[in-house]
Amino acid sequence: MAILRVALDVPLNTLFDYLAPDTEITAQDVGARVLVPFGRNMMTGVIMEVTAYSSVPSPKLKLAAHIFRDVPPLPEGLIALFRFCSEYYHHPLGEVVMNGLPNRLRSNKPFTRKVPSACQYGLTLTGRKADTSIIPARHIVKHRLLARLRESRVMSISDAKQLSPRAPKALNELITLGWIEEIPFAHPATPVPAAQALQIPVLTTDQRNAVDVIAPEIGEFNTWLLHGVTGSGKTEVYLRLISLVLRQARQTLVLVPEINLTPQLEAVFRARFPTLRLVSLHSGLSPSERAAGWLQAQEGAAEIVLGTRLAVFTPLPKLGLIIVDEEQDASFKQQDGLRYSARDAAIFRAKQAGVPVILGSATPSLESHYNAVTGRYLRLRLSSRAVKNAALPVVRCIDTRAVKTKESFSPPVISALERCLALNQQSLVFINRRGYAPVLLCKSCGWAATCERCASRLVVHLRDKRLRCHHCGHQERFPNVCPECGDQDVVPFGHGTQRVEAALAEYFPGARIMRIDRDSTSRKDAWQHMLRDIHEQRVDILVGTQILAKGHDFPKLSLVSILNSDASLFSTDFRASERLFAQLMQVAGRAGRAGIPGEVLIQTEFPDHPLYHALRQHDYDLLAQTLLEERKTAGFPPFVYQALLRAEAPQIDTALGFLTSAVAVAKAPGEVEVFDPVPAQMARLKGTERAYLLVQSGSRKKLQAFLEAWRAKLDALPSRKVRWTVDVDPMDF
Ligand code: ADP
Ligand code: ZN
Ligand code: ZN
């Protein structure tokens, strides 16, 4: 009788053997879901192998209960991706596999399809011509639905529900009116009326070049770094390549960093390819919607799968192209459970499938930049803005040591805002509020506390009045005076401000101000609303955090002011400069996109800092070179490969104790360094104490081999009350 080797969602790094329930099992069943007894329960897992032998003695082997044949088995490529993630991130295979499946397919019941979820809604001809003012203004939901449909042409029931929970009722009423109709999924969306047919732009020289270089290589694996300044038209390059892939009847996977970016991109794709079958996968979907989308991908019916990082685990039997937009974005790295990088997983996947992967960015991550420098990735540049007459904005620094600020604003910023208001143009005030760990800084000479053992900045731990190195574990007491100049004014430095909106309202009582951050956009439909208000010029000044920086196109925006980014210059996180630069390039890139000249003002006490210098010149390469040299000297990535062993426990000593014994059993070969345990900056989080230790090596292979052997020993360590995980290529310390 055949043996099934099954992946189950349990934290053990092994597959489980079962006797096949029937005799018709073949290798074809690899990838199918199977119901098996586990302990006292039944569990659903995935068949990873079918073999003839098991190391489990046969009287102990249990019989699998049932093989699900409700959906096709997972394709080979996806199984290979799961195996890669399990090995590379040192995470139990069963958890990797099961967490990659939609909830509905993890359950112990067979999957039943609901037809309606695949249905979409569109405007009828009457609906398109109708005068919406005959609907009373208080029927807000109806107005929103109609406005949304005029924008994006089709919407699913879930899109509608995101607008309002009352949407289904409103939809039905609009259907009765004859304004809206149901369009079955996979059916061509409302045909584009000829007059409205989209103008396909003539490519710029840079775009033409990029398309011409990639197009002949579309059937081969390569990692392309599409490095294009903000507004250079990367999307148009994607569209041209996707159309080639569509013609070959193959699927494209498009990954974006933010769920907020999916509706706009979806609208762009649908406008260009009116009959496109597109599936959007992100955390905002209901379980059945997600399962339905997943299945359309799995059956090859979905031509484009658009989603956030989780979408990298979608089965795509006819995969032809992968696009990772804003590849530098930290949100591609999962921060708990399986700590995978969706970008890196996408590259593995492309390689395995023999198809190209395109990483798009205005400011590539230093890792990707370095890979392009060394020739592992192929770089294509788009160096000017695509829209005629749209130039990159002028960037100026305002030295706040020379001009005084009042309520965070300097006089030049205030007058620039006034000017914009008078011209009826929009402006954006950008607040950098990321919670960077505080460092100790001397206000008179600029000295910042650094570690004597490695080049890292020391982190202030106020609780026990100590400075700690989060890199190597070194610690020391707070100095009372500056060791450089003797000044007593050494203070923790680095926190954002939230009073900006209020201050603005005082300065400009007549202006329409809109604050955009996680809090103000947390309601489901809030963001779509705000976007519409911005586009329809119902806003004068936008106040926002990084959420605004990403990918949006606001044609009327001409001024960007950046208030408080200095703290990141002195962050203890060695990636802070890189991130700050990317972020500021992106926000700066919001200005002047459609022909109005743009201006960017940065308030800073350090106008001579290389980062601001590079920003003024729009010179990514200059800064990248500086940062790479710093990283090389300090021995940071991309010149070394890192992993963290993270531990959590109710008491910090328990966590540290576990890590200390982990160090004791680590037999690191010469090329692998194991540092001392450190309590995390936010040591107490949700009632548990957190600590970690860093392992690094100049050789990825050696690091991987070490982790493999170490993990087995860690599994054997007593770890009562400790939860630990390995984080490979960590992004947050
Ligand atoms: P990026 O993603 O590179 O920042 P986008 O793809 O958002 O840039 O494009 C910026 C703007 O340029 C968009 O409004 C787009 O419609 C426009 N655009 C792109 N390519 C062209 C082109 N070849 N000619 C004219 N406009 C273009
Ligand atoms: Zn000093
Ligand atoms: Zn150190």
Side-chain angles (χ1 to χ4, degrees):
M1 184 89 92
I3 308 288
L4 309 179
R5 311 212 63 217
V6 178
L8 291 174
D9 190 4
V10 290
L12 293 172
N13 200 20
T14 175
L15 296 176
F16 297 86
D17 291 2
Y18 289 89
L19 287 170
D22 51 57
T23 49
E24 277 135 54
I25 302 291
T26 66
Q28 302 290 320
D29 291 298
V30 168
R33 279 145 47 250
V34 59
L35 186 68
V36 295
F38 189 82
R40 270 185 237 141
N41 303 315
M42 298 302 282
M43 273 182 111
T44 294
V46 170
I47 302 174
M48 301 297 282
E49 292 166 35
V50 178
T51 62
Y53 304 99
S54 170
S55 53
V56 180
S58 49
K60 283 198 159 178
L61 273 178
K62 291 190 194 157
L63 191 66
H66 176 67
I67 296 181
F68 294 103
R69 303 193 202 264
D70 47 358
V71 303
L74 303 179
E76 214 177 304
L78 187 60
I79 291 187
L81 179 66
F82 286 143
R83 284 191 186 277
F84 162 77
C85 284
S86 166
E87 280 163 27
Y88 186 77
Y89 294 107
H90 300 273
H91 198 84
L93 181 57
E95 288 191 350
V96 174
V97 173
M98 296 313 289
N99 287 320
L101 298 187
N103 261 321
R104 282 287 147 90
L105 295 174
R106 281 182 236 168
S107 99
N108 289 353
K109 296 194 197 96
F111 178 75
T112 45
R113 285 162 214 243
K114 283 203 205 115
V115 185
S117 62
C119 185
Q120 296 192 312
Y121 298 87
L123 290 176
T124 58
L125 205 62
T126 328
R128 244 178 282 144
K129 287 192 195 142
D131 172 12
T132 52
S133 66
I134 65 166
I135 295 179
R138 69 196 149 79
H139 292 183
I140 304 170
V141 181
K142 283 186 201 160
H143 280 286
R144 278 190 209 158
L145 286 168
L146 291 170
R148 175 68 187 274
L149 278 172
R150 295 222 153 134
E151 233 166 58
S152 57
R153 210 163 307 130
V154 288
M155 80 198 303
S156 65
I157 188 70
S158 67
D159 297 336
K161 283 185 190 154
Q162 287 208 0
L163 286 178
S164 160
R166 294 197 311 271
K169 188 163 165 273
L171 272 176
N172 278 332
E173 290 172 20
L174 288 166
I175 290 172
T176 321
L177 252 181
W179 288 16
I180 286 183
E181 62 185 346
E182 289 186 11
I183 307 162
F185 184 87
H187 183 276
T190 344
V192 193
Q196 257 180 275
L198 214 81
Q199 290 278 318
I200 298 182
V202 179
L203 295 181
T204 63
T205 317
D206 285 345
Q207 286 173 325
R208 175 88 268 154
N209 175 53
V211 172
D212 286 350
V213 172
I214 301 176
E217 313 274 327
I218 210 91
E220 274 173 51
F221 168 69
N222 267 314
T223 309
W224 302 95
L225 182 60
L226 186 63
H227 184 174
V229 299
T230 53
S232 59
K234 291 184 281 295
T235 317
E236 187 60 40
V237 175
Y238 303 154
L239 287 168
R240 298 294 173 105
L241 295 169
I242 289 172
S243 85
L244 296 179
V245 176
L246 285 174
R247 236 176 281 158
Q248 301 177 352
R250 298 174 67 128
Q251 299 172 293
T252 304
L253 172 66
V254 182
L255 299 178
V256 292
E258 272 272 343
I259 174 172
N260 281 330
L261 291 172
T262 55
Q264 280 112 292
L265 208 51
E266 179 172 345
V268 169
F269 288 151
R270 289 203 189 280
R272 177 64 58 92
F273 309 114
T275 59
L276 181 71
R277 289 167 300 175
L278 178 146
V279 164
S280 222
L281 290 176
H282 50 72
S283 54
L285 300 178
S286 75
S288 51
E289 286 163 349
R290 188 162 165 237
W294 192 92
L295 273 175
Q296 276 153 12
Q298 148 99 323
E299 286 160 354
E303 293 161 310
I304 292 190
V305 171
L306 168 64
T308 46
R309 64 174 176 257
L310 192 66
V312 78
F313 294 117
T314 314
L316 296 156
K318 297 191 285 182
L319 183 62
L321 172 67
I322 304 182
I323 293 167
V324 184
D325 197 25
E326 306 289 0
E327 67 86 24
Q328 82 291 347
D329 202 286
S331 63
F332 283 122
K333 179 83 154 84
Q334 165 104 350
Q335 296 297 359
D336 54 25
L338 171 66
R339 293 171 175 263
Y340 67 101
S341 151
R343 175 198 61 205
D344 296 346
I347 295 172
F348 172 85
R349 204 166 174 184
K351 183 168 187 181
Q352 208 258 336
V355 304
V357 53
I358 301 175
L359 311 181
S361 178
T363 50
S365 64
L366 271 197
E367 281 82 358
S368 296
H369 169 74
Y370 187 61
N371 278 325
V373 170
T374 57
R376 288 188 41 186
Y377 297 175
L378 305 168
R379 185 186 333 236
L380 290 165
R381 289 188 194 258
L382 310 179
S383 15
S384 55
R385 287 198 157 172
V387 172
K388 248 208 171 110
N389 301 327
L392 286 169
V394 177
V395 180
R396 283 201 295 135
C397 283
I398 292 160
D399 187 345
T400 48
R401 293 167 309 182
V403 293
K404 282 282 154 268
T405 59
K406 212 177 107 205
E407 288 289 332
S408 321
F409 288 93
S410 65
V413 167
I414 292 298
S415 28
L417 285 167
E418 260 162 14
R419 222 164 35 236
C420 261
L421 281 171
L423 291 171
N424 252 329
Q425 293 172 353
Q426 289 175 325
S427 44
L428 162 63
V429 174
F430 181 73
I431 313 165
N432 183 1
R433 213 178 47 172
R434 248 191 92 113
Y436 288 115
V439 294
L440 208 60
L441 188 77
C442 169
K443 283 275 192 176
S444 13
C445 75
W447 169 87
T450 48
C451 176
E452 59 198 28
R453 269 167 65 184
C454 61
S456 279
R457 290 214 171 79
L458 294 172
V459 178
V460 174
H461 282 244
L462 278 178
R463 199 159 53 162
D464 49 2
K465 284 237 153 205
R466 293 186 87 77
L467 294 170
R468 284 205 166 86
C469 173
H470 278 205
H471 193 71
C472 73
H474 165 82
Q475 50 172 311
E476 58 187 64
R477 302 239 312 268
F478 262 42
N480 293 322
V481 296
C482 171
E484 279 300 312
C485 73
D487 198 306
Q488 296 196 346
D489 194 17
V490 282
V491 287
F493 178 67
H495 44 81
T497 168
Q498 299 189 6
R499 292 168 58 190
V500 172
E501 190 188 6
L504 270 177
E506 286 229 338
Y507 275 116
F508 305 107
R512 294 165 298 178
I513 299 167
M514 180 191 272
R515 182 172 56 89
I516 300 185
D517 54 22
R518 295 266 168 236
D519 310 327
S520 70
T521 55
S522 57
R523 270 207 15 255
K524 263 197 164 179
D525 51 346
W527 177 241
Q528 290 309 317
H529 253 278
M530 292 172 137
L531 276 183
R532 199 159 319 124
D533 284 345
I534 300 170
H535 280 286
E536 291 169 10
Q537 282 240 300
R538 284 193 289 272
V539 182
D540 302 311
I541 305 179
L542 295 159
V543 182
T545 51
Q546 45 275 5
I547 188 169
L548 264 183
K550 289 179 190 170
H552 300 291
D553 209 12
F554 305 133
K556 286 284 184 301
L557 188 80
S558 62
L559 170 71
V560 172
S561 320
I562 293 157
L563 295 191
N564 60 340
S565 45
D566 284 350
S568 303
L569 297 177
F570 300 101
S571 168
T572 54
D573 179 348
F574 67 86
R575 284 196 177 87
S577 297
E578 175 188 344
R579 287 184 185 158
L580 177 66
F581 185 72
Q583 201 175 63
L584 295 187
M585 283 283 262
Q586 280 195 332
V587 243
R590 296 312 104 207
R593 286 170 75 90
I596 316 177
E599 184 179 24
V600 179
L601 298 177
I602 303 173
Q603 291 186 176
T604 171
E605 294 183 31
F606 308 92
D608 299 324
H609 196 282
L611 190 142
Y612 294 134
H613 184 68
L615 206 62
R616 281 196 293 268
Q617 312 287 323
H618 301 283
D619 196 341
Y620 169 89
D621 290 69
L622 181 68
L623 186 76
Q625 201 186 334
T626 314
L627 292 179
L628 272 185
E629 274 158 23
E630 276 174 29
R631 299 259 187 106
K632 190 167 193 177
T633 319
F636 286 143
F639 299 95
V640 298
Y641 301 94
Q642 299 183 321
L644 291 184
L645 178 60
R646 298 180 182 270
E648 287 180 13
Q651 306 294 332
I652 190 71
D653 288 343
T654 321
L656 288 170
F658 172 80
L659 294 176
T660 308
S661 30
V663 176
V665 298
K667 294 230 166 44
E671 298 91 337
V672 177
E673 284 177 282
V674 179
F675 293 103
D676 294 339
V678 203
Q681 161 63 19
M682 293 265 296
R684 193 163 252 298
L685 195 77
K686 295 181 195 150
T688 59
E689 299 276 351
R690 303 178 309 140
Y692 62 77
L693 72 83
L694 174 69
V695 184
Q696 69 181 33
S697 173
S699 149
R700 176 172 267 159
K701 243 196 178 142
K702 298 236 162 74
L703 179 65
Q704 280 292 336
F706 165 76
L707 289 175
E708 175 74 37
W710 196 31
R711 231 208 94 101
K713 292 185 204 150
L714 296 179
D715 277 329
L717 278 183
S719 59
R720 249 169 48 83
K721 294 196 175 160
V722 181
R723 280 186 44 198
W724 59 269
T725 53
V726 177
D727 185 354
V728 179
D729 305 326
M731 294 298 283
D732 273 335
F733 287 75

